[in-house]
Amino acid sequence: MAAEHTGIKHSSIEVNGVALHIAEQGEGPLVVLLHGFPESWYSWRHQFGPLAAAGYRVVAPDQRGYARSEQPADADAYSLLHLTGDVIALIHALGEEQAVVVGHDWGAPVAWTTAMLRPDVVRAVAGLSVPPVLPGGMAPPSVTRQQYGDRYYQNYFQQPGVADAELGRDLPSTFRRMLFNGSGDNPANTRPRPWIVPEGASLLGGGPDPELPAWLTPEDIDAFADDYARHGDRAFTGPLNWYRNIERNNELLAAFRGRGIDVPALYVVGDRDMVTSLHGIDRVIDSLDAIAPKLHRSVTLPGCGHWTQQERPEEVNAALLDFLGHLPKAE
């Protein structure tokens, strides 16, 4: 795995009773990178070197339930309060009082929510793909069932064991299909649309595995698959349990309805990202200045799909370095 030989150090750190694997490079102000579904620390492989070279300490955990990190058995242990708690505990366990937090996909709601709840610890926040749908991170199944039906992927994921088995059956094939299907290279994403599983069809579709786009290699697929294989037939159960707490997140965070983001913020999204097609997301993006009054920039990447920092690493790195360079000096 190429990224293993570029100065990235790997270790394990316990936060809130859960052992998290972390990848780390560089020295300086702390930048925490939070991956999404179905990814791991490895999704940030193109960001470590440039950020570290610019004078930052870069740390990307496998979040709870994912890849090399521990997987709590209780599905209730994956609420946004648990996940934001992990971020705060990780920052402190690393010996820091503050950090810039960057999240992609599911990592973005964790980053936005952590910034909303703890602006004293999160000195700035960046979200890739998913904008700040506050306070619960995303619309609950009670709403999305009315909008899209039971076959909408987030609702499909609510059934214990079903998506777990489908996604875990052939890990390399799962990652090939997931990463291609959501990418800007998939012709179906020229006009993005919500991920609805057709009636009677499998979650990832049939036929042969797609060819890999230029930004993805067989070694990348192996890196994701090998890390997930550590959890055996529960490889996807921890990650899917995040989705099984969406309704609960909105209930638990109801007291924070109306709060925004008080710290400097950055948003980056591809114009072929499925997230942009979801009900109400256009209004959220149009309202970013109100939600995050210290918004630095909102960046749209032409031709980019869902896997923002993997598909467009140079543009994402440039946006992150510009954002970081405009922040006040770390305390």
Side-chain angles (χ1 to χ4, degrees):
M1 187 186 311
E4 296 278 8
H5 306 290
T6 57
I8 298 173
K9 299 181 296 183
H10 295 265
S11 61
S12 182
I13 194 164
E14 184 169 312
V15 300
N16 301 320
V18 178
L20 298 185
H21 163 258
I22 64 169
E24 178 175 0
Q25 186 174 1
E27 296 180 358
L30 178 61
V31 179
V32 176
L33 305 177
L34 303 174
H35 65 80
F37 177 93
E39 299 169 280
S40 69
W41 72 273
Y42 190 77
S43 67
W44 300 104
R45 60 195 175 278
H46 302 301
Q47 281 67 54
F48 282 95
L51 294 185
Y56 298 96
R57 181 187 184 189
V58 185
V59 174
D62 288 338
Q63 298 197 75
R64 68 165 61 197
Y66 278 85
R68 305 187 198 181
S69 287
E70 195 172 358
Q71 191 179 90
D74 187 353
D76 287 347
Y78 296 86
S79 76
L80 260 178
L81 289 178
H82 289 89
L83 304 173
T84 56
D86 287 350
V87 176
I88 297 300
L90 175 61
I91 292 168
H92 291 153
L94 292 168
E96 305 287 350
E97 294 299 319
Q98 289 188 315
V100 176
V101 180
V102 181
H104 167 257
D105 182 78
W106 249 115
V110 177
W112 295 123
T113 306
T114 308
M116 178 188 75
L117 296 175
R118 294 300 304 270
D120 57 321
V121 177
V122 179
R123 68 185 190 96
V125 62
L128 311 184
S129 176
V130 182
V133 182
L134 302 176
M138 55 191 72
S142 59
V143 172
T144 54
R145 282 196 183 95
Q146 298 299 316
Q147 294 170 336
Y148 311 115
D150 288 335
R151 306 290 291 186
Y152 176 56
Y153 79 105
Q154 293 183 9
N155 300 332
Y156 189 90
F157 287 175
Q158 300 301 314
Q159 309 168 72
V162 176
D164 315 46
E166 287 188 58
L167 294 172
R169 190 169 295 125
D170 182 337
L171 293 177
S173 177
T174 290
F175 284 103
R176 277 179 168 267
R177 290 172 182 270
M178 287 283 288
L179 292 169
F180 173 78
N181 288 352
S183 75
D185 299 84
N186 182 353
N189 294 332
T190 303
R191 295 184 64 184
R193 55 190 175 186
W195 181 9
I196 311 290
V197 183
E199 198 70 45
S202 68
L203 185 58
L204 298 174
D209 286 349
E211 289 189 21
L212 295 179
W215 53 270
L216 199 58
T217 68
E219 291 75 22
D220 296 333
I221 297 298
D222 290 343
F224 286 119
D226 290 350
D227 277 354
Y228 272 64
R230 296 163 188 251
H231 291 292
D233 60 4
R234 291 179 58 85
F236 278 91
T237 298
L240 289 166
N241 281 341
W242 289 41
Y243 290 92
R244 293 161 187 160
N245 279 275
I246 296 175
E247 191 84 38
R248 188 163 163 253
N249 291 337
N250 283 269
E251 296 168 359
L252 292 172
L253 290 160
F256 298 93
R257 195 161 288 123
R259 264 198 62 74
I261 305 294
D262 297 335
V263 301
L266 170 72
Y267 177 60
V268 183
V269 67
D271 67 357
R272 295 187 178 185
D273 191 329
M274 178 271 290
V275 169
T276 64
S277 72
L278 299 180
H279 185 81
I281 289 295
D282 56 342
R283 293 195 298 273
V284 175
I285 294 174
D286 289 343
S287 302
L288 282 175
D289 282 326
I291 298 168
K294 296 180 181 178
L295 182 72
H296 175 64
R297 287 180 70 199
S298 177
V299 180
T300 300
L301 302 175
C304 181
H306 182 65
W307 315 108
T308 328
Q309 76 274 23
Q310 297 188 72
E311 292 186 53
R312 295 289 190 273
E314 291 184 4
E315 292 95 325
V316 168
N317 293 345
L320 288 175
L321 289 169
D322 172 66
F323 177 53
L324 292 167
H326 279 85
L327 297 178
K329 287 191 179 296
E331 296 178 4

